[in-house]
Amino acid sequence: MYLKAFLDNAKAGTDFELLIQGYKNYVDHSEGTLKIIYTDSMVKAALKSNDDKLIGSAYLSRGIVFYGMKKHQEALENYIAARTYLERADDPYLSYKLKYNIAQEKYYLGQNREAIELLTQCLKYFKDENTRAYLNTIHSLGLAYNKSGDYGNAARMVSLGVGEAKRLHNHSMDCYFLHLDGLNEYFTSNYASAIAKLKQSIVPLTNLNDYANLAVANFYIGKSYWAQKNFREGIPYLKKVDDEFIRSEYIRPDLRENYELLIDYYKDNNNQGEVLKYVDRLLKADSILRITHDHLFDSIHKNYDDRELLLEKQKMEKALYRQKSNNNLLIISSISLLAITLFISYKWKTNRKRQEKIFKELMQENQRLSMKPDKNILKELAIPKDTVQKVLQALKKWEANKEYLKSNTSLTALAEYVGANNRYTSEIISFHKKQSYNNYVNSLKIQYIIKALKTNRLLRIFTDDALAAEAGFTSTQRFVAAFKTYTEMSPRVFIEKLRKELDDNGEPS
């Protein structure tokens, strides 16, 4: 109620800073994709203000939301957009806040030296400016030192963080320093201490609903038990990592080993059912890592590549089948499963080739959508020729003015625009455009959004909701369905292909 009152009041005035704050309030109190929708509104309001500081701050906030959702590519693109504006705005705090968040992405990319350099600069600034930002920076520096193998400096950051938290009477980061201390103990082979400290961090991390750091804590507790050859104690913690993966699909490169340990353990215990289960889970984890950590995936040390995993899976399936039964029904089921698998694989490969072909066509200069004609289109047209020409000329103007982007576009509105009745308008479109009215309008909308995505890199970080609004669709569901109809891929898949294509060709940032 209070959020709405604040926002309504801001909309009624002309203070853009107040309006942006109104949307930010909603961002802070929303979950999931709703956060992104409200950050879209923040950016739009900021752009209207023509104020570099407001625009840069809005893009920065949007990037932070994406980072919190583990969407690193989108986060980085928003940070880059923010930098352009903040370089012109005289606001040291926002500049260092941006620098801090870029350092987080450097850490994520494994560029620890660059992350440490940026965070060291931030540490000096935030010390006297913002207590929480200062403590966050100490913790981030500790993580970067730890990841780079400098465990001495990582331990120094833990001591500094704990001491400064006491001095400043701010204990909001205590569990994170404890968590980092536990990780440091693991990497310096102090396994008993690592277990104790990481276990202590679990309750406060649970209260904060920090599933990512909980998964990391459970993994390194399990690995510490593993290092002590205490496998039975370690197994429950490795399974908790798997539970979180099932719940949220959270995975990062070092957590991949969780499944290798589980597979090896159940192999040694001759439990083929569990081996098969965790082979499946590892294949799924790899498919996610390819999307979220593509730049790191090839450098991950793997004891099992995907081909070996698939062979392992097939062996386990065959062994389980033999154990259960050798009757004819089993053989028929196996053959059917193989046939279905081959068919699905064939359809997947065919569809992928088809998508690549369509994508290449769409990337050509001024290429229009290649669409099959609608069924039941008119073969003859019983309308006076002068009326037809008049309508076609008006349609040409209607297309040139992009009237189809209006969300309230209807056959009646179009008929009024072209100066004809609904039936004439519909039949002329059917005969000359080889499409029904709805398909004709949708194809224009999709054609427009594809061209816009190719030329405007900022649109590529829009959500499907925002893209639907941009193209004049009344719902996201209709937009996505129309996009798939004309391109045989979702907007997300097209954008990913577009990013890769433009990155390969060296599109400037």
Side-chain angles (χ1 to χ4, degrees), residues 24 27-28 35-36 39 42 56-72 74-79 82 93-94 96-102 104-105:
K24 190 175 186 305
V27 172
D28 295 338
K35 281 182 172 288
I36 300 175
T39 58
M42 282 178 64
S57 177
Y59 275 118
L60 175 55
S61 296
R62 198 166 188 269
I64 292 169
V65 168
F66 276 120
Y67 179 83
M69 299 174 74
K70 313 302 177 189
K71 295 186 176 183
H72 296 277
E74 292 89 341
L76 194 54
E77 289 179 354
N78 276 276
Y79 294 154
Y93 176 77
L94 285 176
Y96 277 98
K97 186 177 179 181
L98 174 62
K99 193 174 291 190
Y100 172 85
N101 284 284
I102 290 177
Q104 299 300 315
E105 291 298 342

Side-chain angles (χ1 to χ4, degrees), residues 373-374 376-381 383 387-388 391-392 394-396 398-399 404 409-415 418 420-444:
D374 285 350
N376 303 319
I377 61 170
L378 290 179
K379 306 296 183 184
E380 296 180 358
L381 197 60
I383 300 175
T387 301
V388 172
V391 169
L392 289 175
L395 278 176
K396 187 176 180 181
W398 186 78
E399 290 182 18
Y404 51 83
T409 299
S410 65
L411 178 60
T412 300
L414 177 56
V418 301
N421 59 40
N422 287 14
R423 184 174 69 83
Y424 276 14
T425 305
S426 176
E427 289 181 359
I428 290 170
I429 290 172
S430 177
F431 184 79
H432 283 277
K433 304 295 183 180
K434 308 304 180 188
Q435 291 177 289
S436 67
Y437 162 75
N438 284 333
N439 287 346
Y440 163 64
V441 173
N442 284 347
S443 66
L444 290 172

